[in-house]
Every structure is written in structure tokens, then in C-alpha cells.
Amino acid sequence: GFGLVLRELRLAVGATQAELARRAGVSLGTIRDLEQGRRLRPRADSVARLSAALGLDAGQAERLTQAADAAEAGGSELWVQVLGPVLARRDGQPLDLGSARQRAVLALLALQREAPVLREAIVDAVWPDGPTATAVNMVQAYVGRLRRVLAADGADRDRAVLTWSGESYRLRLAADELDLLAFEDLAARAAATAPEDPAAACVLYEQALGLWHGD
């Protein structure tokens, strides 16, 4: 997404968020919102100011512009966080994930990285002291609500983010939709880059660590 590209370019030139905000004439909160995906569609003039403030070369500036264009054309964008408090946003707006147990179901599915999760495994995880008589029905209700909350609008409305088959459930998210997958992708790229370009690897590792929130 645009936020990840902006963060990578900022780190590449050695600027802090506060320095970028001052040079671009925007608030520090704006930079944080952009990098963390709370604001997904920057205005064209904002992109130009950010490029100038970072002193980007032509190739870097084009990459930032393309990321902004992709955000504008991408329609409904989903972002799920499990590296810290469990949160989800669509188009930068927070989604209501319901009760703690319902959020726990989402986190459990996200941690499996698209692998199917048996209903019994969810019940055992959500009720560690033993399930109630209605636990199975409650899991089915949680999944149904999450499916509706996470459902895409517009051109992607038919895409099923959360699916089920028999006794198992599966969450289908890409690396630009789930912070855990984005973290693993950045860490793998950093490890592959380190032998040839340690400085670039450090930038990628910092990006990966920046995806963590809370303790």
C-alpha cells in the first residue's frame, strides 16, 4: 500500500516522521496516518509535497505516485492487524469487530495464514476452560458476523474474505491486507538482501518492526 512505500522511502533517505512532516508542511499525525494505513488516499498535491520533502529522485517519485494512484483506483481496501491489538480497517475507517471472543476468532484465523482451521480448534482456543453448551453455535455466529464486516464493496463485493467448508474456516488475505503476512514478507526480503546490501536490509527490517503495535 501507499503507507508502506512512503515509510520505505522515508527510511531510505534517513528522515524521521517529524522531519518529513515539517518539510512537507503537514502535521505529524498526517504522516503517521498515511504510514499506518489510517489514511489510504493522499491528494495529488500532498504526494508532490512529500516527494519534494524527501528529495526523491525521478524513479523514487514515480514509485510513490504509482502507489498513490493504486490506492485511488483500488476501490475498497481492507487492512487487518494482529501484531498487537486486533483491529481491522476498510478504506482507513475502523471496522466493528464485535466482542473480545469474536476478535479472538479473527485473530486465530489470521494466525493460520490462509490454512483451514477446524471449528473444534476455535472452540478450544476461545473457551480454554471448557466450552459452553452453545459454543459451537456461537462460533458459527461469530464467523457469520465477521464475514459480513470484512466483506468487500464495489468491484470486489463478490470476493469471499472468510470462507467455510464443512467443519473448518479459512481467512483469505494477502500481504497488503494482513500485517502478519506483510511482516513476514519484509523480514524475508531483508534476510535475502542482507549479504549484498546490509543498509537496505536494515530499512526492510525497520519497516517490518514498524508493523508491530503495543507491547
Side-chain angles (χ1 to χ4, degrees):
F2 178 83
L4 288 176
V5 173
L6 176 62
R7 179 178 174 83
E8 180 179 341
L9 292 172
R10 176 179 63 78
L11 293 174
V13 301
T16 66
Q17 289 182 331
E19 288 170 340
L20 175 56
R22 177 176 53 80
R23 295 175 191 171
V26 300
S27 70
L28 178 58
T30 295
I31 300 300
R32 288 174 174 165
D33 285 349
L34 286 170
E35 291 194 358
Q36 295 179 12
R38 290 192 291 268
R39 184 177 301 187
L40 297 176
R41 293 181 173 84
R43 298 193 306 269
D45 60 329
S46 297
V47 176
R49 289 204 307 273
L50 291 169
S51 294
L54 290 171
L56 302 181
D57 60 32
Q60 291 171 322
E62 178 62 20
R63 184 181 174 206
L64 189 65
T65 299
Q66 288 177 349
D69 291 344
E72 181 64 31
S76 186
E77 294 191 20
L78 178 65
W79 178 249
V80 177
Q81 295 179 191
V82 293
L83 301 179
V86 179
L87 303 170
R89 298 186 182 91
R90 184 172 291 285
D91 294 335
Q93 299 302 312
L95 299 177
D96 182 3
L97 298 180
S99 67
R101 282 179 173 159
Q102 187 165 298
R103 295 196 305 274
V105 171
L106 176 62
L108 182 62
L109 293 171
L111 289 173
Q112 300 310 306
R113 303 165 182 80
E114 285 207 19
V117 182
L118 289 173
R119 184 183 302 148
E120 287 76 8
I122 297 176
V123 169
D124 290 342
V126 176
W127 287 272
D129 297 326
T132 65
T134 61
V136 170
N137 289 337
M138 291 179 71
V139 167
Q140 292 173 329
Y142 292 151
V143 170
R145 292 175 196 146
L146 287 169
R147 190 171 189 268
R148 290 191 294 273
V149 168
L150 299 175
D153 297 320
D156 295 329
R157 63 184 178 274
D158 293 329
R159 177 197 169 200
V161 173
L162 205 171
T163 63
W164 59 84
S165 176
E167 299 293 314
S168 65
Y169 304 95
R170 186 193 303 259
L171 187 66
R172 298 179 179 274
L173 295 173
D176 61 351
E177 297 174 315
L178 176 61
D179 61 354
L180 174 62
L181 294 178
F183 174 87
E184 292 177 338
D185 178 65
L186 287 165
R189 288 167 53 196
T193 302
E196 299 297 330
D197 193 343
C202 286
V203 170
L204 292 169
Y205 277 129
E206 187 171 348
Q207 280 187 271
L209 289 173
L211 292 170
W212 286 81
H213 300 272
D215 295 334

